[in-house]
Amino acid sequence: MVILNFLIFLFWILILPLGMGLNIIRFQNQEEEVGISKIFFFGFFFELITFQLLAWVFTYLKGSLTVLTILWLLIQAIAIIIGVKSYLKKKSMILKPKKEKISFDKMSVVIFAVAVAIIVFQVVFVTTHVHDDLDDSWYVGAATTSYFTNTINQISPYTGEIMQYIPIDYILSPWPVFCAMIGKLSLCHPAIIMHTFVPIIFIPMSYVAFALLAKYIFKEDFNKISWFIFFLAVINMFGQYSIRSTSTFLLFRIWQGKAALCNIIIPLVIYFFMLMAEERKSEDTICLFLAVTAGTMLSSMGVFLSPILLGALSFVDLIKQHKMENCIKAFVCIIPCVIQLGIYALMRW
């Protein structure tokens, strides 16, 4: 039964984003091509953001998780239909095979294989062992409460009583409620979703995000990319010098939104900014916008970290290129963060 639950979970987290991600083709020029990574992350960001917006409304209206789930599924279905139509019109733009030959030596293949083995070990270790984390009292507790009570941010996961005051940062970042919804759709307890299923996907997804960044930095040099992933995997194995290091977040608490933010979203924000700054393609700007917004859905820290990061990257780019174009695009991308910061300030007033 658990295997069936996991397969259903894979559909919602891996397959569904690919269908929605086809919409990125609508922003492509006819002569351009788009890779599977952009398609997936475009769809993945889209499903997170649409849920975030719906969760805000249903929290305010005190609606049920079931109705929210139905509306979310309807939006995803519409997005997939539109995406498939775009694909049928421009299907030649997807995954065009490159004619140039990729050069690599045997040592690089061995290093890459070792890196993959380390990553597989990390996934197996995390999913077969138990780590108790105090933050799970809210993250897993809120997901479980929403799952069994069919409510959204109404009942305290600490006491089981109706909450008179809901922390605004948890309202703006409804990741636990999303896990509750995925649990309902996968017919599985949200604690199993978060502690077992999510690490199986999110740990490799983190390495994919860093691999994309390395691919850009090293100009698609497979040898250097292999060594980069190898050293990253080793560092993560021995990076638990603090309970707040990115390595600890990756291997001890990746099911928490803030862990996914620093290990998946932040590398992708850097990656899409670099693509936007150099290639100036509209889909890269859109992916950057979606990545920043999706970060706020996973954790309220995304409201602060992404603007700071984009500000630093824009400043360096301004010095390098002496053009304000990318700075303006970066500012547009952080507008959702500014809006949420304003909501946070008003609620705290």
Side-chain angles (χ1 to χ4, degrees), residues 187-201:
L187 308 176
C188 188
H189 195 289
I192 299 175
I193 293 290
M194 299 180 80
H195 274 258
T196 304
F197 292 174
V198 168
I200 295 176
I201 302 302

Side-chain angles (χ1 to χ4, degrees), residues 126 129-134 136 195 248 251-253 255:
V126 172
H129 290 71
V130 177
H131 169 68
D132 295 325
D133 191 271
L134 294 178
D136 279 354
H195 274 258
T248 301
L251 299 182
F252 285 177
R253 50 207 291 193
W255 52 86

Side-chain angles (χ1 to χ4, degrees), residues 10 53 83 118 122 141 148 155 167 178 194 198 212 232 239-240 254 280 310 322 339:
L10 288 181
L53 296 175
I118 295 175
Q122 292 173 354
F148 284 104
I155 299 176
F178 180 81
M194 299 180 80
V198 168
L212 290 173
L232 179 63
Q240 288 71 41
I254 189 60
R280 290 183 169 83
L310 283 182
H322 303 286
I339 294 174

Side-chain angles (χ1 to χ4, degrees), residues 49-344:
I49 295 169
T50 51
F51 181 86
Q52 180 185 32
L53 296 175
L54 288 174
W56 288 358
V57 175
F58 275 74
T59 297
Y60 178 76
L61 298 177
K62 297 184 179 180
S64 70
L65 181 61
T66 299
V67 177
L68 186 155
T69 302
I70 294 173
L71 288 178
W72 182 82
L73 289 173
L74 180 61
I75 293 173
Q76 310 313 304
I78 294 173
I80 290 175
I81 292 173
I82 297 174
V84 170
K85 288 184 177 180
S86 300
Y87 167 73
L88 294 177
K89 290 181 180 179
K90 303 180 180 180
K91 58 183 178 180
S92 61
M93 295 164 53
I94 299 181
L95 296 177
K96 288 183 179 179
K98 293 187 176 181
K99 296 180 179 181
E100 61 266 22
K101 185 178 180 181
I102 301 177
S103 60
F104 53 86
D105 52 42
K106 294 182 179 179
M107 179 57 69
S108 297
V109 175
V110 173
I111 291 299
F112 183 78
V114 172
V116 171
I118 295 175
I119 295 170
V120 171
F121 171 78
Q122 292 173 354
V123 172
V124 172
F125 188 86
V126 172
T127 54
T128 56
H129 290 71
V130 177
H131 169 68
D132 295 325
D133 191 271
L134 294 178
D135 284 347
D136 279 354
S137 59
W138 177 271
Y139 289 103
V140 179
T144 304
T145 301
S146 294
Y147 180 87
F148 284 104
T149 63
N150 198 33
T151 59
I152 304 166
N153 294 324
Q154 297 180 36
I155 299 176
S156 171
Y158 298 141
T159 64
E161 299 177 341
I162 299 295
M163 287 191 289
Q164 302 299 323
Y165 169 75
I166 306 174
I168 183 61
D169 47 348
Y170 293 128
I171 295 178
L172 296 179
S173 305
W175 167 249
V177 186
F178 180 81
C179 290
M181 181 192 70
I182 295 299
K184 280 185 172 292
L185 294 174
S186 303
L187 308 176
C188 188
H189 195 289
I192 299 175
I193 293 290
M194 299 180 80
H195 274 258
T196 304
F197 292 174
V198 168
I200 295 176
I201 302 302
F202 274 22
I203 292 177
M205 191 183 296
S206 173
Y207 285 101
V208 169
F210 278 103
L212 290 173
L213 187 57
K215 178 182 176 182
Y216 175 85
I217 294 173
F218 299 122
K219 308 300 181 184
E220 303 189 14
D221 188 325
F222 179 77
N223 301 330
K224 295 179 180 178
I225 295 173
S226 299
W227 282 99
F228 177 88
I229 297 300
F230 169 75
F231 282 120
L232 179 63
V234 172
I235 290 172
N236 283 331
M237 287 288 289
F238 301 97
Q240 288 71 41
Y241 57 87
S242 167
I243 61 173
R244 295 180 178 87
S245 70
T246 55
S247 299
T248 301
F249 273 26
L250 178 68
L251 299 182
F252 285 177
R253 50 207 291 193
I254 189 60
W255 52 86
Q256 296 175 5
K258 53 190 174 184
L261 170 68
C262 67
N263 281 288
I264 299 175
I265 299 298
I266 294 300
L268 289 174
V269 168
I270 299 174
Y271 170 67
F272 285 121
F273 178 87
M274 296 174 74
L275 286 182
M276 179 194 73
E278 181 171 312
E279 300 182 8
R280 290 183 169 83
K281 293 181 180 179
S282 59
E283 72 270 14
D284 294 328
T285 305
I286 294 172
C287 284
L288 177 61
F289 178 87
L290 294 179
V292 171
T293 309
T296 66
M297 185 276 187
L298 291 170
S299 173
S300 59
M301 289 305 299
V303 177
F304 304 95
L305 291 179
S306 294
I308 293 173
L309 176 60
L310 283 182
L313 292 172
S314 299
F315 180 71
V316 173
D317 180 75
L318 181 61
I319 295 175
K320 178 183 177 182
Q321 301 196 36
H322 303 286
K323 294 182 180 179
M324 288 293 296
E325 179 184 354
N326 293 326
C327 294
I328 295 174
K329 290 181 179 179
F331 177 77
V332 172
C333 290
I334 67 170
I335 288 178
C337 299
V338 175
I339 294 174
Q340 293 187 49
L341 188 60
I343 295 175
Y344 183 85

